[in-house]
Amino acid sequence: MGAETPRLLCLSAYEAASHRLWRERLGQGLPDYDWQALTLPARHFRWRIRGNPLSWYDAPELQRAPDLVLATSMVDLAVVRGLNRGLAAAPTVVYFHENQFAYPEQHERVASNEPKVVNLYTALAADQVLFNSEWNRRSFLKGARELLRRMPDRKPETAVATIEARSRVVPVPIPDERFTALQRDWPAVPHLLWNHRWEYDKGPERLLALLRALRQRGQPFRLSLVGEGFRQAPEAFARIREEFAGELVNLGYMESREAYDRLLEEADMVLSTALHDFQGLAVQEAMAAGCVPIVPDRLAYPEYVPADFRYLSQEAPEREGQAAAERLMAVLAEPRPGPETLMPERYRRNRVIPEYRQLFESLLGGTGPRPQPRP
């Protein structure tokens, strides 16, 4: 280990916006580490998750052994360590922003077992396995058990138990300055915010059903439909633009972080209709700014959203839209809850960063127990 500044090598094989945000926030919170990073753009998913050891084969950053390796779950860590002997001896932490076992089954990414097997190998190759939520951790362990149960023979007896013993939950931190919520009353026309990626797994057809249900019940609202869009967006977004043009306040991706922060402070409610959300950072940041959440009773949401602000999950989008509308209107019928009721304090940077620091120091300097290789 370096005498002055430990060298930390971060490997991010599918650098989506949330992955970059996590890496940058850790770097800002832990400036006493010499941060270096190898990243690959978030495209060509199948090549990325299986081919990242080849993409980095000639990388000069791998020619010198780091003091600590921090890899995302998209990294094929077992192969990277096998091809780069200097990394084999370095303590390694893998971070699961998501896991391939818990994506909605219709998604083309889960057409084969290969991404799941990469996740499994990566978790087994790491000294510590971190998840951004308990739901993420549980769904990974459950999925890994089910996958190994389907193996035709020679099934490993201790693989999942090994990962479970090395695992813990440490979320993506929210900067302290994002916590700006003030006590407010409900306006006559509430401003609803939906702030997720414009993809099918965020449930846009369920959002459409919710908005239609609100209109049928005579509930007025304004709507900001923001988030990262892609070349091919689900048809539900076009229908929302057509049917609710008069309610739309903001539409599409907001380039300015300052403008987005103002929107979080101005909006009254943050909505989620997601089928896939492993931490829900967009909802959490909106809550920190004062938005009241209306979210489904699934995924990681029960970990930080009180039951009064969660609606019943339903398989049919129309039925779930009705349930969400009922919950939303019931919340509006009561006095607006104060910030102390909904503030996601557990996720503040000044609370989360010390957890990362303690973990890294235990691996680097032996100030804490290092996990046993096998249970």
Side-chain angles (χ1 to χ4, degrees), residues 83-100:
L83 294 178
N84 300 276
R85 303 300 175 84
L87 266 63
T92 305
V93 179
V94 62
Y95 194 81
F96 278 80
H97 297 87
E98 66 284 294
N99 73 77
Q100 296 302 309

Side-chain angles (χ1 to χ4, degrees), residues 192-257:
L192 311 182
L193 168 66
W194 190 93
N195 56 342
H196 308 273
R197 282 184 291 103
W198 287 30
E199 292 191 287
Y200 87 98
D201 60 314
K202 298 303 182 182
E205 75 287 349
R206 295 165 186 268
L207 173 63
L208 176 60
L210 164 59
L211 299 177
R212 286 172 172 171
L214 290 175
R215 177 172 282 176
Q216 291 167 0
R217 293 162 185 260
Q219 172 62 54
F221 61 87
R222 297 186 298 145
L223 174 66
S224 285
L225 183 64
V226 302
E228 185 179 7
F230 300 90
R231 191 183 315 172
Q232 293 184 337
E235 177 63 24
F237 290 109
R239 294 182 181 178
I240 292 172
R241 287 196 298 268
E242 294 171 2
E243 295 183 25
F244 299 94
E247 286 84 3
L248 283 169
V249 179
N250 295 282
L251 180 68
Y253 183 71
M254 302 185 72
E255 295 286 349
S256 168
R257 179 71 212 200

Side-chain angles (χ1 to χ4, degrees), residues 2 10 15 39 55 58 85 95 149 188 225 240 256-257 306 330 348 373-374:
C10 185
E15 183 86 333
T39 68
S55 297
D58 298 315
R85 303 300 175 84
Y95 194 81
R149 193 177 300 124
L225 183 64
I240 292 172
S256 168
R257 179 71 212 200
R348 275 187 184 265
R374 310 285 280 205

Side-chain angles (χ1 to χ4, degrees), residues 37-58:
L38 286 174
T39 68
L40 295 170
R43 55 178 182 262
H44 310 307
F45 173 81
R46 290 189 182 281
W47 274 108
R48 288 288 184 259
I49 199 166
R50 201 64 186 94
N52 57 82
L54 295 174
S55 297
W56 290 329
Y57 185 73
D58 298 315

Side-chain angles (χ1 to χ4, degrees), residues 101 112-121 140-152 155-156 160:
F101 296 99
S112 76
N113 286 328
E114 198 164 23
K116 299 175 183 178
V117 172
V118 171
N119 270 187
L120 187 55
Y121 286 162
F140 173 89
L141 295 171
K142 178 182 177 182
R145 290 189 183 97
E146 291 174 352
L147 177 68
L148 296 179
R149 193 177 300 124
R150 297 200 305 268
M151 284 183 67
K155 302 177 183 181
V160 177

